[in-house]
Amino acid sequence: MITMQDIADKAGVSKGTVSYVLNGKQEKARINQATCARVIAIAESLGYRRNAIAQSMKTGKTNVIGIIGGLHNDYCMAIIKGINNVVSKNNYMIKLLPTDKIEDVKNAARQCVEQRLAGVICRSLSEEELEIIRSELASNNMPIVLVDNSFSHDWCSRVISDDFEGAKQATEYLLELGHRKIGFVTNDLIHGFSKVRYDGYIKMMTDWKIKVQKDDICCIDHGNKISNTQQNAIKDFLTLKKPTAVFCGSDPIAMKVINVAQSLGINIPQDLSVIGFAGLNYTFFSSPTLTTVKQPFVKMGQKVSEILLSEIKEKSPAKEIKLPVELIIRDSTTTIK
Amino acid sequence: MITMQDIADKAGVSKGTVSYVLNGKQEKARINQATCARVIAIAESLGYRRNAIAQSMKTGKTNVIGIIGGLHNDYCMAIIKGINNVVSKNNYMIKLLPTDKIEDVKNAARQCVEQRLAGVICRSLSEEELEIIRSELASNNMPIVLVDNSFSHDWCSRVISDDFEGAKQATEYLLELGHRKIGFVTNDLIHGFSKVRYDGYIKMMTDWKIKVQKDDICCIDHGNKISNTQQNAIKDFLTLKKPTAVFCGSDPIAMKVINVAQSLGINIPQDLSVIGFAGLNYTFFSSPTLTTVKQPFVKMGQKVSEILLSEIKEKSPAKEIKLPVELIIRDSTTTIK
DNA sequence: TTGAAAGCGATACCAT
DNA sequence: ATGGTATCGCTTTCAA
């Protein structure tokens, strides 16, 4: 493999000179034009490729960003895409540190330090997982930012979508369509974003002076793998409560509701309007196409990496960014008949 | 940041000794137990983290695998997950080199070399893109493997799913259900995997002595962004040809067919059976749930990384691996009435 | 305008 | 059983 020394030898200059030229610092070192051109030409002809490792070793920096988080969710690709948009423009690269178990997180944290990453983006981690990262990286003051994490912290910036607003919009849209018996289907009423969406729903219902009873809410136990239980929960909810509309805590849940409803002979949207949350690709070509609250995953990835890059340059106080969501109206909702 | 020298100083030994101990080579260097324990304890108490960059610099190797390819497809996450399963167990890491334009590919190829990656996995690249990678990496004899690439090459291994067999199975299943007017809907009859799936369909139809007319095939122009055109193409196809079943070249296409059919008042599966291809997550909770040919994306990722890791150890002749697919029977297909 | 050389942190060989 | 040291490829300061 060709080194700068090889080029230097062939060009009859020192490797220091080669370094300056190849890093575009001829000005600073005032290397003359001819030498410059010769070095570049030789590097080219030799097929020289900089050894990024040696460079990092010397400078003590890498241009690599770590992304820590699970690979389950359908939307994580979109976030990563957003991250890549920004970091690749700034000549940074992405190292994936996928995590499933808590062990993976510990390992990932250690890897970040060993690899001397420039910074780390944590995606949808639990409090416990995040604490592992923090304690490992803090001592090496490696910047950390959060995206799509449901908890905020004062020691690091976070980018999320404005789910509360989105839930309000979705609920209001149903109300404007004339619906009053509006159910909420979720898999978790207590934690994270599900809770925020629930809160938005409650807020809007309350604003419109609609009483929400306990049985207007259908909480399907997502942890439970026996999906029949979920189906039955939805079935009972639809048949007993007979809502004219349901706002769902996520797109997959909305799809399930539609599925169960149709099997019950309930027509969507004539008999039942359904709204999802996330705006995943497939909601566009499901049957019927799904009205949903679209989260700006790509933008979230972009924004969070912009923040990270700026923190790599210089430490700054933690920011909290809520990106707006958008209600996408499609065929799963209509006015009450 | 703590270095081996720091540990050595504190332990009153040389950094060479520390290196041996921390790399578990005490045996080889015959370091005595006490020294060993002391060094480890000090490293621990100082919170030492190996500098992987320096290590790579010295050894000339990295334990990083590059993944080159677009981030569009819904299934690429699954492939990456499979890759990670295997490489993380072997203490390798993943660097993502997402590519959109041809420029990205050139850049990615260069990055692979500059970063001295241990090897590269190319995902669903075009011939042109792959050639760029090859020409850049060949001179540095960096191993390359292909996954989900529609072209095979004698200079590198490739892992794909057995789409021909899958298409045959899907078609045969429809035939066994009693269907004879079986259409094929695709977005490309000429290239890549779409062509293979088409071939499988034709093969099975021919085996069963069913004549396939030109108008049994509906090719929706995927390149065309005006999705109305696609919808209309499907609509015309369904109304004019009146198939009792359609086998689709992909899951999204199948979803669209179902959508158009339902808007035409055609009931799925009573009036029309539909089969997709890929087995994406959402086909499980669409309405109706979709019968589809499931490709083993995770396994493909695992297999391809196993091959890559073995090639990193020692160069071996190119292999071609076709992983079996599985027909998943769900609610979008039924016997002909 | 350029060369020489120190040094980044770890590895591994050669002495002792 | 351990210390000393050359080395990996590059960056950057200091001299010339």
Side-chain angles (χ1 to χ4, degrees):
Chain A
M1 183 128 292
I2 313 297
T3 70
M4 284 191 177
Q5 187 63 63
D6 297 327
I7 299 174
D9 292 346
K10 201 156 185 185
V13 298
S14 81
K15 60 179 177 161
T17 306
V18 175
S19 173
Y20 282 125
V21 173
L22 261 28
N23 285 305
K25 295 188 181 167
Q26 325 90 349
E27 309 292 288
K28 202 186 149 211
R30 295 184 296 182
I31 313 286
N32 85 30
Q33 288 289 331
T35 315
C36 226
R38 191 153 37 94
V39 166
I40 290 172
I42 292 175
E44 180 72 22
S45 74
L46 254 33
Y48 171 76
R49 290 292 176 267
R50 128 188 304 112
N51 184 334
I53 299 165
Q55 188 175 36
S56 291
M57 153 95 134
K58 178 63 192 172
T59 59
K61 293 165 195 285
T62 60
N63 58 342
V64 182
I65 303 279
I67 303 181
I68 300 183
L71 256 31
H72 332 286
N73 296 320
D74 286 315
Y75 55 80
C76 77
M77 206 77 260
I79 295 182
I80 294 175
K81 210 186 281 188
I83 294 172
N84 183 64
N85 287 165
V86 172
V87 302
S88 69
K89 272 205 197 77
N90 290 271
N91 279 310
Y92 277 78
M93 305 197 60
I94 292 175
K95 207 165 236 178
L96 267 200
L97 300 140
T99 55
D100 253 337
K101 311 171 296 297
I102 202 85
E103 268 316 305
D104 299 336
V105 178
K106 283 185 190 151
N107 193 44
R110 175 176 276 264
Q111 287 293 338
C112 290
V113 180
E114 293 194 353
Q115 309 274 340
R116 305 294 192 264
L117 301 189
V120 170
I121 298 174
C122 295
R123 252 200 51 243
S124 325
L125 297 186
S126 71
E127 288 281 72
E128 184 192 4
E129 293 172 322
L130 186 55
E131 175 52 26
I132 292 173
I133 313 280
R134 192 202 56 74
S135 67
E136 175 81 24
L137 305 204
S139 45
N140 304 286
N141 65 310
M142 191 175 285
I144 303 176
V145 291
L146 271 30
V147 63
D148 195 45
N149 265 54
S150 53
F151 295 92
S152 80
H153 290 272
D154 55 2
W155 54 270
C156 75
S157 293
R158 174 173 82 136
V159 174
I160 54 173
S161 57
D162 194 347
D163 289 15
F164 185 71
E165 202 50 47
K168 276 168 55 188
Q169 277 178 36
T171 309
E172 181 156 48
Y173 177 63
L174 291 173
L175 288 162
E176 286 168 351
L177 287 175
H179 295 280
R180 290 301 175 267
K181 294 180 67 177
I182 304 175
F184 181 71
V185 185
T186 188
N187 49 28
D188 188 338
L189 277 170
I190 304 160
H191 302 101
F193 294 119
S194 302
K195 170 77 164 70
V196 174
R197 295 166 195 174
Y198 169 72
D199 290 344
Y201 156 82
I202 292 290
K203 174 75 168 77
M204 191 49 70
M205 292 294 271
T206 310
D207 282 0
W208 280 58
K209 320 274 188 222
I210 316 276
K211 268 217 186 92
V212 177
Q213 319 274 358
K214 215 169 195 173
D215 62 353
D216 284 319
I217 312 299
C218 171
C219 187
I220 58 179
D221 183 11
H222 203 63
N224 196 328
K225 279 293 174 193
I226 306 156
S227 64
N228 278 343
T229 317
Q230 292 189 7
Q231 305 234 351
N232 288 336
I234 296 171
K235 189 184 282 183
D236 291 348
F237 177 65
L238 294 180
T239 50
L240 295 177
K241 192 65 193 184
K242 295 201 198 320
T244 64
V246 285
F247 169 44
C248 302
S250 76
D251 284 341
I253 294 176
M255 301 284 279
K256 275 178 203 144
V257 167
I258 290 176
N259 199 309
V260 171
Q262 289 184 342
S263 75
L264 252 31
I266 298 172
N267 291 317
I268 315 287
Q270 298 84 349
D271 305 333
L272 180 71
S273 286
V274 178
I275 299 190
F277 206 108
L280 304 178
N281 290 333
Y282 60 77
T283 60
F284 183 63
F285 44 75
S286 66
S287 302
T289 56
L290 188 69
T291 295
T292 184
V293 178
K294 189 173 173 61
Q295 298 176 260
F297 295 116
V298 174
K299 275 194 192 137
M300 286 160 70
Q302 292 172 338
K303 190 68 201 171
V304 80
S305 25
E306 281 165 13
I307 295 177
L308 180 60
L309 290 179
S310 85
E311 293 214 0
I312 288 171
K313 286 206 199 84
E314 59 176 332
K315 183 75 192 136
S316 55
K319 279 189 275 286
E320 169 92 7
I321 310 273
K322 269 195 193 125
L323 260 25
V325 298
E326 186 192 0
L327 178 65
I328 309 276
I329 295 164
R330 293 200 282 236
D331 299 335
S332 66
T333 44
T334 191
T335 52
I336 193 162
K337 47 178 181 187
Chain B
M1 183 128 294
I2 313 296
T3 71
M4 284 191 176
Q5 187 64 62
D6 297 328
I7 299 174
D9 292 346
K10 200 156 186 184
V13 298
S14 82
K15 59 177 180 165
T17 306
V18 175
S19 173
Y20 283 124
V21 172
L22 262 27
N23 285 304
K25 295 187 181 167
Q26 325 90 348
E27 310 290 289
K28 202 184 149 213
R30 294 184 296 182
I31 313 286
N32 87 28
Q33 289 289 332
T35 315
C36 225
R38 192 154 36 96
V39 166
I40 289 172
I42 292 175
E44 180 71 22
S45 74
L46 255 35
Y48 170 76
R49 291 292 177 265
R50 125 185 310 111
N51 184 332
I53 299 163
Q55 188 175 37
S56 291
M57 153 94 134
K58 178 63 192 172
T59 60
K61 293 164 196 287
T62 61
N63 58 343
V64 182
I65 303 278
I67 303 181
I68 300 183
L71 256 30
H72 332 286
N73 297 321
D74 286 317
Y75 54 80
C76 77
M77 208 75 259
I79 295 183
I80 293 174
K81 210 186 281 190
I83 293 172
N84 183 64
N85 287 165
V86 171
V87 303
S88 69
K89 272 205 197 75
N90 290 271
N91 279 310
Y92 278 79
M93 304 198 60
I94 292 175
K95 207 164 238 179
L96 268 199
L97 300 141
T99 55
D100 253 337
K101 313 171 294 299
I102 203 82
E103 267 317 305
D104 299 336
V105 178
K106 282 185 189 150
N107 193 44
R110 175 176 274 264
Q111 286 293 340
C112 291
V113 180
E114 293 193 351
Q115 309 275 339
R116 304 295 191 263
L117 301 189
V120 170
I121 298 174
C122 295
R123 253 201 50 243
S124 326
L125 297 186
S126 72
E127 288 280 72
E128 185 191 5
E129 293 171 322
L130 186 55
E131 176 53 24
I132 291 172
I133 312 281
R134 193 202 57 73
S135 67
E136 175 81 24
L137 305 203
S139 44
N140 305 285
N141 65 312
M142 191 175 286
I144 303 176
V145 291
L146 271 31
V147 61
D148 195 46
N149 265 55
S150 53
F151 296 92
S152 79
H153 290 273
D154 55 2
W155 54 270
C156 75
S157 293
R158 168 190 181 230
V159 174
I160 53 173
S161 58
D162 195 346
D163 289 15
F164 185 71
E165 202 51 45
K168 276 168 55 187
Q169 279 178 35
T171 310
E172 182 157 46
Y173 177 64
L174 292 172
L175 287 162
E176 285 168 352
L177 287 176
H179 295 281
R180 290 301 174 267
K181 293 180 69 175
I182 304 174
F184 181 72
V185 185
T186 187
N187 49 27
D188 188 339
L189 277 169
I190 305 161
H191 303 100
F193 294 120
S194 303
K195 170 75 164 72
V196 174
R197 294 166 195 175
Y198 170 72
D199 290 344
Y201 156 83
I202 292 289
K203 173 75 169 77
M204 191 49 69
M205 292 294 271
T206 310
D207 283 0
W208 280 58
K209 320 272 187 224
I210 316 276
K211 266 212 187 96
V212 177
Q213 319 275 358
K214 214 168 197 172
D215 62 355
D216 285 317
I217 312 300
C218 171
C219 187
I220 58 179
D221 183 13
H222 203 65
N224 196 328
K225 280 293 172 192
I226 307 157
S227 64
N228 278 344
T229 317
Q230 292 188 9
Q231 304 233 352
N232 288 336
I234 295 171
K235 189 184 282 186
D236 291 348
F237 177 63
L238 294 180
T239 50
L240 295 176
K241 191 65 193 183
K242 294 200 199 318
T244 64
V246 285
F247 170 44
C248 302
S250 75
D251 284 341
I253 294 176
M255 300 285 278
K256 275 180 203 142
V257 167
I258 290 176
N259 199 309
V260 171
Q262 290 184 341
S263 74
L264 253 32
I266 298 172
N267 291 316
I268 314 288
Q270 297 84 348
D271 305 333
L272 180 70
S273 287
V274 178
I275 299 190
F277 207 108
L280 304 178
N281 291 334
Y282 60 77
T283 60
F284 183 63
F285 42 76
S286 65
S287 303
T289 57
L290 188 69
T291 295
T292 184
V293 178
K294 188 174 172 63
Q295 300 180 75
F297 295 116
V298 174
K299 276 194 191 137
M300 286 161 70
Q302 291 172 338
K303 190 68 200 171
V304 80
S305 26
E306 281 165 14
I307 296 177
L308 180 59
L309 290 179
S310 85
E311 293 214 2
I312 289 171
K313 286 206 199 82
E314 60 176 332
K315 182 77 192 133
S316 56
K319 279 189 275 290
E320 169 93 7
I321 310 273
K322 269 196 191 122
L323 260 25
V325 298
E326 186 192 359
L327 178 65
I328 308 276
I329 295 164
R330 292 199 282 235
D331 299 336
S332 66
T333 44
T334 191
T335 52
I336 192 164
K337 44 179 185 188

Coordinates of all heavy atoms in Angstrom, one line a residue, chain B residues 4 19-20 23 25 48 55, chain C residues 8-14:
Chain B
M4 N -1.7 3.0 27.8 CA -1.0 1.9 28.4 C 0.2 2.3 29.2 O 0.6 1.7 30.2 CB -0.5 0.9 27.3 CG -1.7 0.1 26.8 SD -1.1 -1.3 25.7 CE -2.6 -2.1 25.4
S19 N 0.6 -4.3 27.5 CA 0.0 -4.7 26.2 C -0.3 -6.2 26.2 O -1.4 -6.6 25.9 CB 0.9 -4.3 25.1 OG 0.4 -4.9 23.9
Y20 N 0.7 -7.0 26.6 CA 0.6 -8.4 26.7 C -0.6 -8.8 27.6 O -1.5 -9.6 27.2 CB 1.8 -9.1 27.2 CG 2.9 -9.2 26.1 CD1 4.2 -8.6 26.4 CD2 2.7 -9.8 24.9 CE1 5.2 -8.7 25.4 CE2 3.7 -9.9 23.9 CZ 4.9 -9.3 24.2 OH 5.9 -9.4 23.2
N23 N -4.1 -7.9 26.4 CA -4.5 -8.6 25.2 C -4.6 -10.1 25.5 O -4.8 -10.9 24.6 CB -3.6 -8.4 24.1 CG -3.8 -7.0 23.5 OD1 -4.9 -6.7 23.1 ND2 -2.7 -6.2 23.5
K25 N -2.3 -12.1 26.4 CA -1.2 -12.9 25.9 C -0.2 -13.2 27.0 O 1.0 -13.2 26.7 CB -0.6 -12.2 24.7 CG -1.5 -12.1 23.5 CD -0.8 -11.5 22.3 CE -1.8 -11.4 21.1 NZ -1.2 -10.6 20.0
Y48 N -9.3 2.5 32.1 CA -8.6 2.5 30.8 C -9.5 1.9 29.7 O -10.2 1.0 29.9 CB -7.3 1.6 30.9 CG -6.7 1.3 29.5 CD1 -6.0 2.3 28.9 CD2 -6.9 0.1 28.9 CE1 -5.4 2.1 27.7 CE2 -6.3 -0.1 27.7 CZ -5.6 0.9 27.0 OH -5.0 0.6 25.8
Q55 N -4.3 0.7 17.8 CA -4.2 -0.7 17.6 C -4.3 -1.0 16.1 O -3.4 -1.8 15.6 CB -5.3 -1.4 18.3 CG -5.2 -2.9 18.4 CD -6.2 -3.6 19.2 OE1 -7.4 -3.1 19.2 NE2 -5.9 -4.6 19.9
Chain C
dC8 P 3.1 11.9 22.4 OP1 3.0 12.9 23.5 OP2 3.9 10.7 22.6 O5' 1.7 11.4 22.0 C5' 0.8 12.2 21.2 C4' -0.1 11.4 20.4 O4' 0.7 11.1 19.1 C3' -0.3 10.0 20.9 O3' -1.6 10.0 21.6 C2' -0.3 9.0 19.7 C1' 0.3 9.9 18.6 N1 1.5 9.3 17.9 C2 1.5 9.3 16.5 O2 0.5 9.6 15.9 N3 2.6 8.8 15.9 C4 3.6 8.3 16.6 N4 4.7 7.9 16.0 C5 3.6 8.4 18.1 C6 2.5 8.9 18.6
dG9 P -1.7 9.4 23.1 OP1 -3.0 9.9 23.6 OP2 -0.4 9.7 23.8 O5' -1.7 7.8 22.8 C5' -2.9 7.3 22.2 C4' -2.6 5.8 21.8 O4' -1.5 5.8 20.9 C3' -2.2 5.0 23.1 O3' -3.1 3.9 23.1 C2' -0.8 4.6 22.8 C1' -0.7 4.7 21.3 N9 0.7 5.0 20.8 C8 1.6 5.8 21.3 N7 2.7 5.9 20.6 C5 2.4 5.1 19.5 C6 3.3 4.8 18.3 O6 4.4 5.2 18.1 N1 2.6 4.0 17.4 C2 1.3 3.5 17.6 N2 0.8 2.7 16.6 N3 0.5 3.7 18.7 C4 1.2 4.5 19.6
dA10 P -3.0 2.7 24.1 OP1 -4.3 2.4 24.5 OP2 -2.0 3.1 25.1 O5' -2.4 1.6 23.2 C5' -3.2 1.2 22.1 C4' -2.4 0.3 21.1 O4' -1.2 1.0 20.7 C3' -1.9 -1.0 21.8 O3' -2.4 -2.1 20.9 C2' -0.4 -0.9 21.7 C1' -0.1 0.2 20.7 N9 1.1 0.9 20.9 C8 1.3 1.8 22.0 N7 2.5 2.4 21.9 C5 3.1 1.9 20.7 C6 4.3 2.1 20.1 N6 5.2 3.0 20.6 N1 4.5 1.5 18.9 C2 3.6 0.7 18.4 N3 2.4 0.4 19.0 C4 2.2 1.0 20.1
dT11 P -2.2 -3.5 21.4 OP1 -3.3 -4.3 20.9 OP2 -1.8 -3.6 22.8 O5' -0.9 -4.0 20.5 C5' -1.0 -3.9 19.1 C4' 0.3 -4.4 18.5 O4' 1.4 -3.5 18.8 C3' 0.8 -5.8 19.0 O3' 1.1 -6.5 17.9 C2' 2.0 -5.4 19.9 C1' 2.5 -4.2 19.2 N1 3.3 -3.2 20.1 C2 4.4 -2.7 19.6 O2 4.9 -3.0 18.5 N3 5.1 -1.7 20.4 C4 4.6 -1.3 21.6 O4 5.3 -0.4 22.2 C5 3.4 -1.8 22.0 C7 2.8 -1.4 23.4 C6 2.8 -2.8 21.3
dA12 P 1.3 -8.1 17.9 OP1 0.7 -8.7 16.7 OP2 0.8 -8.6 19.3 O5' 2.8 -8.3 17.9 C5' 3.5 -7.6 16.8 C4' 5.0 -7.8 17.1 O4' 5.4 -6.8 18.1 C3' 5.4 -9.1 17.7 O3' 6.7 -9.5 17.2 C2' 5.5 -8.8 19.2 C1' 6.1 -7.4 19.1 N9 5.9 -6.6 20.3 C8 5.0 -6.7 21.3 N7 5.1 -5.8 22.2 C5 6.1 -5.0 21.8 C6 6.8 -3.9 22.4 N6 6.4 -3.3 23.5 N1 7.8 -3.4 21.7 C2 8.2 -4.0 20.6 N3 7.7 -5.0 20.0 C4 6.7 -5.5 20.6
dC13 P 7.1 -11.0 17.1 OP1 6.2 -11.6 16.1 OP2 7.1 -11.6 18.5 O5' 8.6 -10.9 16.6 C5' 9.0 -9.7 15.9 C4' 10.3 -9.1 16.5 O4' 9.9 -8.3 17.7 C3' 11.2 -10.2 17.0 O3' 12.5 -9.9 16.5 C2' 11.2 -10.1 18.6 C1' 10.8 -8.6 18.7 N1 10.1 -8.3 20.0 C2 10.4 -7.2 20.8 O2 11.4 -6.5 20.4 N3 9.8 -6.9 21.9 C4 8.7 -7.7 22.3 N4 8.1 -7.4 23.4 C5 8.3 -8.8 21.5 C6 9.0 -9.1 20.4
dC14 P 13.7 -11.0 16.7 OP1 14.3 -11.1 15.3 OP2 13.1 -12.3 17.3 O5' 14.7 -10.3 17.7 C5' 14.9 -8.9 17.6 C4' 15.7 -8.5 18.8 O4' 14.8 -8.2 19.9 C3' 16.7 -9.5 19.3 O3' 17.8 -8.8 19.7 C2' 15.9 -10.1 20.5 C1' 15.2 -8.9 21.0 N1 13.9 -9.2 21.8 C2 13.6 -8.4 22.9 O2 14.3 -7.4 23.2 N3 12.5 -8.6 23.6 C4 11.7 -9.7 23.3 N4 10.6 -9.9 24.0 C5 12.0 -10.5 22.2 C6 13.2 -10.3 21.5

